[in-house]
Amino acid sequence: MRILGLVIVILCGSILIYHTSDFPDWGHPASPASTHVSPYYIEKALDDTAVPNIVTAVLADYRGYDTMFETTVIFCAGIACFFLLRITRRMEPSVTLYRHLPTGITLRIEKGGKEPDDSNIFKRIDTQWVPYDLIINTTCRMVIPFIQLFALYVISHGHHSPGGGFQGGVILGASVILFAISTDLRTAISRMSERLGAFLSATGVFIYAGAGALCLVLGANFLDYSALAPVLNVNSVMARSHGILIVEIGVGLAVMAVMIWIYYNLSSAGRHDEGL
Amino acid sequence: MMDVIAVILLFCGLFFFTGGAVGIIRFPDFYSRLHPAGKLDTAGLLMAMAGMALHTIHDLSMSSLFTGFKILLIVVFVFITSPTATHAIIDAGVRAGLRPWTKKEKEEHP
């Protein structure tokens, strides 16, 4: 079976490599990409979509179908991580540590001992002893809102400058991961649960595909945002611009949620109990 | 005139960056290496970004002033986050049990 697989892989690979010789040379002026595809984008992108950033116009409008499945790939990565790592069976840790907040004394509770309530007086800490990290906590608390604001800026400003849903989503996800690192995993999960992460990642893909399907319902091609013009109450060029923003928001949501979801699973080996 | 000051500031920034790079290589151990990494990079960034901001607000129009303000915001955020990152790394080193380098110790184990 293994040898059969190897033979198939080598066969397919050699066919692919053999046919790369039929490709035009990289940057060849007579290649189809240089003769009509790129010039079309460069000349018409602004008139077609009212988006000054050609990269965004190509990514989310002309090649929207491709980007939709890139988003789906990211969603699949989150799902795969979940199925590979997540341990839903609750494993009792042999030792749990609690900190008595008024005095700073650490309680070590063996298995079977009575655990204090997670209240304002006792706070559970990770088994690898965690000291007070006031500086890191304060700085992160101060910086995280600005990081999130910047992420929203990157998502919404993708029309005019480098950026877009993927980059902004990653920054948003990183801000929550920073929160998880600066406090602990349980606090982060209590703020943004795994269920919310799964829901948002699916929602992001749904927004993208839904925007495409809405165009289909309104009588145009899939992901042809100019059909959204009557819904958005703008002309067809601006409708394409707004359509790009809608799918970028979908991409941003999906990427953010998947980043956080993968982090939760990886950092705690799927237990969502104690991690990094 | 503004350009001259900007270039001088940029060179000052590069001087600090070079010092930081040399320090990371030349200092004896983990903790002392983080000292140039944290301090000199921050100082170099202040100089370099100030130079860039001066160069940008050359024509004193509204948009260029905003761009200069954004450049200065970079400095503000690096000033907040870079020392914190250095603190976190050193904290991790102490918690992992790495002892600071001393001259005496080196004489004992050459």
Side-chain angles (χ1 to χ4, degrees):
Chain A
M1 198 61 198
R2 224 178 228 181
I3 293 176
L4 188 69
L6 187 69
V7 168
I8 292 172
V9 165
I10 289 177
L11 214 66
C12 291
S14 52
I15 290 172
L16 283 175
I17 291 169
Y18 174 71
H19 282 284
T20 51
S21 61
D22 292 342
F23 283 156
D25 284 341
W26 194 74
H28 196 272
S31 66
S34 312
T35 48
H36 60 271
V37 179
S38 301
Y40 179 85
Y41 291 153
I42 293 166
E43 287 162 11
K44 301 280 177 60
L46 191 58
D47 298 337
D48 279 355
T49 63
V51 173
N53 187 354
I54 302 173
V55 177
T56 304
V58 172
L59 183 95
D61 187 294
Y62 295 113
R63 303 281 178 113
Y65 207 61
D66 179 51
T67 312
M68 188 181 89
F69 280 100
E70 277 169 22
T71 317
T72 316
V73 164
I74 289 175
F75 176 61
C76 290
I79 296 275
C81 239
F82 172 75
F83 279 120
L84 284 175
L85 291 173
R86 186 76 172 100
I87 302 167
T88 44
R89 183 163 45 93
R90 194 175 149 73
M91 297 220 303
E92 287 296 325
S94 56
V95 167
T96 45
L97 292 187
Y98 281 86
R99 178 178 285 147
H100 184 237
L101 289 176
T103 56
I105 292 171
T106 304
L107 302 178
R108 184 172 191 277
I109 294 168
E110 299 280 338
K111 199 169 189 174
K114 184 176 179 294
E115 296 190 359
D117 298 328
D118 234 1
S119 62
N120 288 329
I121 300 172
F122 289 103
K123 184 176 181 293
R124 188 172 164 197
I125 57 178
D126 284 353
T127 326
Q128 288 173 324
W129 177 69
V130 184
Y132 287 106
D133 38 10
L134 187 67
I135 297 173
I136 297 168
N137 258 334
T138 314
T139 309
C140 289
R141 185 174 296 180
M142 201 162 66
V143 164
I144 283 171
F146 290 104
I147 295 176
Q148 289 175 338
L149 202 64
F150 180 65
L152 294 181
Y153 168 81
V154 168
I155 292 178
S156 60
H157 220 252
H159 288 50
H160 299 277
S161 62
F166 288 100
Q167 294 84 346
V170 166
I171 300 172
L172 263 183
S175 71
V176 177
I177 292 174
L178 180 66
F179 180 72
I181 291 174
S182 68
T183 55
D184 57 8
L185 194 66
R186 289 178 300 279
T187 318
I189 288 179
S190 73
R191 292 287 178 90
M192 178 164 169
S193 65
E194 183 195 20
R195 193 170 292 179
L196 182 64
F199 175 73
L200 283 182
S201 57
T203 308
V205 179
F206 179 77
I207 288 175
Y208 203 135
L214 192 62
C215 301
L216 206 63
V217 170
L218 291 170
N221 286 328
F222 191 67
L223 288 171
D224 181 1
Y225 312 126
S226 54
L228 296 174
V231 180
L232 298 168
N233 202 13
V234 286
N235 63 16
S236 64
V237 174
M238 279 313 286
R240 288 179 79 162
S241 174
H242 292 331
I244 290 174
L245 181 64
I246 291 170
V247 301
E248 295 273 28
I249 290 169
V251 170
L253 268 182
V255 171
M256 174 199 75
V258 168
M259 291 286 293
I260 298 164
W261 199 13
I262 289 180
Y263 173 79
Y264 284 171
N265 277 323
L266 280 182
S267 65
S268 64
R271 283 198 296 278
H272 290 210
D273 182 20
E274 291 184 351
L276 221 63
Chain B
M1 188 58 203
M2 286 273 250
D3 271 347
V4 175
I5 300 173
V7 167
I8 291 172
L9 277 172
L10 272 178
F11 269 102
C12 286
L14 283 179
F15 177 72
F16 276 100
F17 277 131
T18 318
V22 171
I24 290 170
I25 298 168
R26 294 288 299 160
F27 270 95
D29 80 327
F30 178 72
Y31 299 113
S32 50
R33 277 178 193 184
L34 278 166
H35 177 75
K39 277 206 170 69
L40 290 178
D41 276 10
T42 320
L45 196 90
L46 172 67
M47 302 277 182
M49 289 297 140
M52 297 223 191
L54 267 187
H55 179 72
T56 315
I57 61 169
H58 196 246
D59 57 347
L60 286 176
S61 71
M62 207 58 193
S63 67
S64 66
L65 278 179
F66 269 120
T67 314
F69 177 67
K70 282 183 202 167
I71 292 175
L72 288 183
L73 271 186
I74 297 175
V75 178
V76 171
F77 282 113
V78 170
F79 261 64
I80 296 171
T81 51
S82 172
T84 313
T86 315
H87 164 80
I89 295 170
I90 289 186
D91 197 36
V94 173
R95 268 202 270 161
L98 183 68
R99 287 173 161 231
W101 174 86
T102 50
K103 213 164 191 178
K104 211 170 168 188
E105 205 174 330
K106 204 190 169 193
E107 281 163 7
E108 284 169 10
H109 312 285

